[in-house]
């Protein structure tokens, strides 16, 4: 039984304010992060493009590594000191550190600030944990799905507003605005989000269920975490190369698109359609959250995951084979609509075979492995791209999604065994 079922917490009200806080946080993040290369160029004087590209890679590497380590640390602390406290820590840390990025005097300070920023911030994972632990068990699929809509819609709004602020008022203003938005998000959680958490009681519960890591990593848990790692690679491997794919597809299919949408004079700018492709992908992920979350509460999540993985693979394959830009846009929407449900489904599967007292720990592991997948995809795409070109990168994504389908067979069997064990222990 969930925490919400044993307390007077209004889980719907809680979810609304957690969602709103994450919508604002993601909007704040999206309003400044795309402009880091320009901060390096104009604020720090790194005008050589080749050098700047190296520092951009170093910047994102620092952030990913730091965030990957931090998620596990903060997840474990959340189980001991409260999930709301972890969300407040992340929100207010982001409010401090993101503006500091714009005031960095040199590139080395910028990288250092980025490291600390990623380590102490990162609001989405603690928000998920807090929402799950304060909502009924039978609504967890809906909760995770709804929260994922904040991720996509917040980013969409942030990219739009950030572009306007940066172009009119400068990059520093964009970063300061990001900090202000994170502060508002934190205050919203502080004032209106409730958590029934007693540290002494929770620590006693942890003493009863806490075990060495090797015992917590049961076959089902290990399988789910491996799925998260593969998903982290598959979901991110194609992102840096989208503009290249758009350019290739437009080269072979522009006339077809004109015949279908003859009233729209778009010219032949691949950059413009890369933006459109990113927007429709975000829209697909936005719609996916609510739809797949709703389905998760009405059918067995692991059975839903198999068609979602197959649909994701088909969506990517159609993008590669698209005869024109119109087909590519539809396929990208479809691919993100399907793939947007993978992580919520895996998280929901994990909640069914783990103790509520350790939920922060397990969600921290999920966040870490997803981030590790993001780091690994850079090495995978570099190797595959070198030998097989752009098409090889996208086909690798298809193969990973399809490879995850047979992985569900042993994971499903292990889950059935572990669910029986949990039911026996709970009696």
């Amino acid at each position: 039984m969930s925490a919400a079922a044993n307390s007077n917490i209004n889980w719907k009200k809680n979810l609304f304010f957690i969602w709103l806080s994450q919508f604002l946080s993601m909007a704040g993040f999206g309003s400044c992060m795309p402009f880091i290369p320009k901060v390096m160029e104009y604020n720090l004087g790194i005008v050589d493009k080749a050098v700047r590209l190296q520092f951009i890679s170093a910047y994102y590497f620092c952030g990913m590594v730091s965030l990957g380590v931090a998620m596990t640390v903060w997840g474990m602390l959340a189980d001991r000191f409260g999930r709301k406290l972890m969300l407040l820590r992340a929100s207010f840390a982001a409010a401090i550190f993101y503006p500091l990025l714009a005031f960095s005097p040199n590139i080395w300070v910028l990288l250092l600030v980025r490291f600390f920023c990623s380590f102490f911030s990162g609001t989405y994972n603690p928000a998920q944990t807090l929402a799950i632990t304060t909502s009924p068990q039978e609504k967890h699929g809906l909760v995770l799905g709804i929260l994922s809509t904040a991720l996509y819609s917040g980013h969409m709004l942030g990219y739009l507003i950030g572009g306007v602020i940066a172009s009119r008022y400068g990059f520093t203003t964009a970063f300061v605005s990001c900090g202000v938005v994170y502060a508002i998000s934190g205050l919203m959680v502080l004032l209106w989000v409730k958590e029934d958490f007693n540290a002494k009681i929770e620590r006693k519960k942890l003493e009863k269920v806490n075990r060495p890591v090797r015992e917590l990593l049961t076959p089902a848990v290990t399988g789910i975490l491996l799925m998260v790692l593969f998903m982290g690679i598959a979901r991110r491997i194609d992102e840096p190369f989208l503009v290249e794919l758009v350019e290739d597809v437009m080269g072979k299919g522009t006339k077809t698109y004109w015949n279908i949408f003859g009233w729209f004079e778009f010219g032949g700018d691949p950059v413009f359609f890369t933006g459109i492709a990113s927007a429709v992908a975000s829209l697909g992920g936005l719609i996916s959250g609510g739809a797949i979350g709703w389905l998760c509460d009405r059918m067995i999540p692991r059975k839903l995951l198999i068609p979602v993985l197959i649909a994701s693979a088909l969506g990517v394959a159609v993008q590669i084979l698209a005869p024109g830009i119109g087909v590519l846009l539809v396929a990208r929407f479809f691919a993100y609509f399907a793939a947007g449900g993978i992580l919520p489904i895996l998280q929901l599967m994990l909640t069914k075979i783990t103790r509520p007292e350790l939920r922060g720990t397990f969600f921290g592991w999920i966040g870490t492995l997803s981030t590790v997948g993001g780091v690994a995809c850079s090495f995978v795409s570099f190797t595959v791209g070198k030998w097989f070109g752009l098409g090889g990168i996208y086909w690798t994504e298809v193969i990973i999604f399809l490879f995850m389908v047979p992985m569900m067979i042993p994971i499903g069997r292990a889950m059935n065994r572990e669910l029986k064990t949990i039911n026996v222990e709970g009696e």
Side-chain angles (χ1 to χ4, degrees):
M1 188 174 290
S2 68
N6 292 318
S7 69
N8 295 320
I9 293 175
N10 184 333
W11 71 270
K12 294 181 180 179
K13 178 182 176 182
N14 244 31
L15 177 61
F16 171 76
F17 283 109
I18 294 173
W19 183 93
L20 191 57
S21 75
Q22 289 315 287
F23 174 78
L24 292 175
S25 296
M26 296 305 107
F29 180 86
S31 69
C32 68
M33 293 309 288
F35 308 116
I36 282 294
K38 294 303 178 183
V39 169
M40 292 181 182
E41 182 178 1
Y42 295 121
N43 290 18
L44 304 181
I46 305 174
V47 294
D48 186 288
K49 186 174 182 179
V51 175
R52 191 165 65 250
L53 288 175
Q54 292 178 347
F55 280 122
I56 292 170
S57 298
Y59 175 87
Y60 283 101
F61 181 79
C62 285
M64 290 289 246
V65 170
S66 175
L67 185 62
V69 174
M71 283 185 176
T72 294
V73 173
W74 296 124
M76 295 173 66
L77 291 176
D79 290 332
R80 293 186 173 276
F81 300 102
R83 287 83 185 205
K84 179 178 176 179
L85 180 62
M86 293 300 107
L87 181 53
L88 290 172
R89 178 266 311 158
S91 300
F92 291 125
I96 295 170
F97 282 109
Y98 277 113
L100 290 180
L101 290 169
F103 294 100
S104 299
N106 56 61
I107 187 63
W108 306 112
V109 173
L110 181 73
L111 296 178
L112 183 63
V113 173
R114 175 56 176 164
F115 181 89
F116 284 112
C117 184
S118 293
F119 190 89
F120 289 101
S121 61
T123 62
Y124 190 62
N125 205 62
Q128 286 182 315
T129 309
L130 178 59
I132 282 293
T133 54
T134 57
S135 63
Q137 176 80 31
E138 65 274 12
K139 298 295 183 180
H140 284 179
L142 180 64
V143 168
L144 290 171
I146 288 176
L147 273 183
S148 73
T149 67
L151 183 69
Y152 289 102
S153 58
H155 277 153
M156 288 176 65
L157 179 64
Y159 294 149
L160 175 63
I161 294 178
V164 174
I165 293 175
S167 62
R168 291 193 176 186
Y169 306 106
F171 303 120
T172 301
T173 303
F175 279 84
V176 171
S177 299
C178 170
V180 171
V181 170
Y182 267 105
I184 295 173
S185 169
L187 287 173
M188 189 175 297
V189 172
L190 178 65
L191 296 175
W192 293 305
V193 174
K194 306 298 181 183
E195 181 186 26
D196 186 10
F197 187 91
N198 186 305
K200 292 183 179 179
I201 294 176
E202 294 300 324
R203 286 173 193 171
K204 289 181 179 179
K205 290 181 181 179
L206 282 175
E207 290 175 0
K208 294 180 180 180
V209 301
N210 208 356
R211 301 168 183 170
V213 171
R214 65 179 181 275
E215 293 185 19
L216 294 176
L217 289 174
T218 63
V221 170
T222 302
I224 292 171
L225 293 177
L226 281 175
M227 294 279 281
V228 171
L229 177 63
F230 284 125
M231 183 230 37
I233 297 173
R235 285 290 306 275
R236 295 186 179 98
I237 192 171
D238 70 349
E239 289 179 356
F241 307 99
L242 178 59
V243 67
E244 302 290 342
L245 180 65
V246 169
E247 191 170 30
D248 286 356
V249 171
M250 289 185 69
K252 63 183 179 184
T254 301
K255 291 183 179 179
T256 302
Y257 184 76
W258 278 340
N259 291 335
I260 297 174
F261 301 100
W263 72 88
F264 183 33
E265 292 292 336
F266 58 81
D269 184 9
V271 175
F272 171 77
F273 275 106
T274 299
I276 298 296
S278 298
V280 299
S282 295
L283 182 62
L286 172 63
I287 298 174
S288 167
I292 294 183
W294 181 82
L295 287 172
C296 278
D297 291 329
R298 285 159 177 80
M299 59 186 298
I300 299 175
R302 61 180 179 274
K303 292 186 177 180
L304 178 61
L305 184 59
I306 292 176
V308 165
L309 289 169
I310 295 173
S312 300
L314 288 174
V316 177
V318 173
Q319 291 179 68
I320 306 169
L321 303 172
I325 192 67
V327 176
L328 173 63
L329 294 178
V330 173
R332 194 151 186 89
F333 171 87
F334 182 75
Y336 269 72
F337 175 82
I342 296 176
L343 184 58
I345 292 174
L346 291 173
Q347 289 172 316
L348 184 58
M349 289 168 58
L350 195 65
T351 65
K352 292 183 178 299
I353 56 172
T354 55
R355 297 288 185 180
E357 296 85 0
L358 294 171
R359 202 139 287 161
T361 298
F362 285 111
F363 269 54
W365 289 357
I366 281 182
T368 293
L369 284 172
S370 179
T371 304
V372 169
V375 175
C377 75
S378 300
F379 298 98
V380 174
S381 62
F382 176 82
T383 304
V384 173
K386 180 179 179 180
W387 291 101
F388 301 102
L390 180 65
I393 293 172
Y394 279 82
W395 283 117
T396 299
E397 184 177 1
V398 173
I399 292 170
I400 293 174
F401 280 132
L402 293 178
F403 176 72
M404 292 168 71
V405 174
M407 285 181 64
M408 285 305 303
I409 297 174
I411 292 174
R413 291 173 180 170
M415 283 191 67
N416 287 334
R417 291 193 299 268
E418 291 174 27
L419 282 169
K420 291 178 182 179
T421 302
I422 290 173
N423 291 333
V424 170
E425 290 179 355
E427 292 177 353

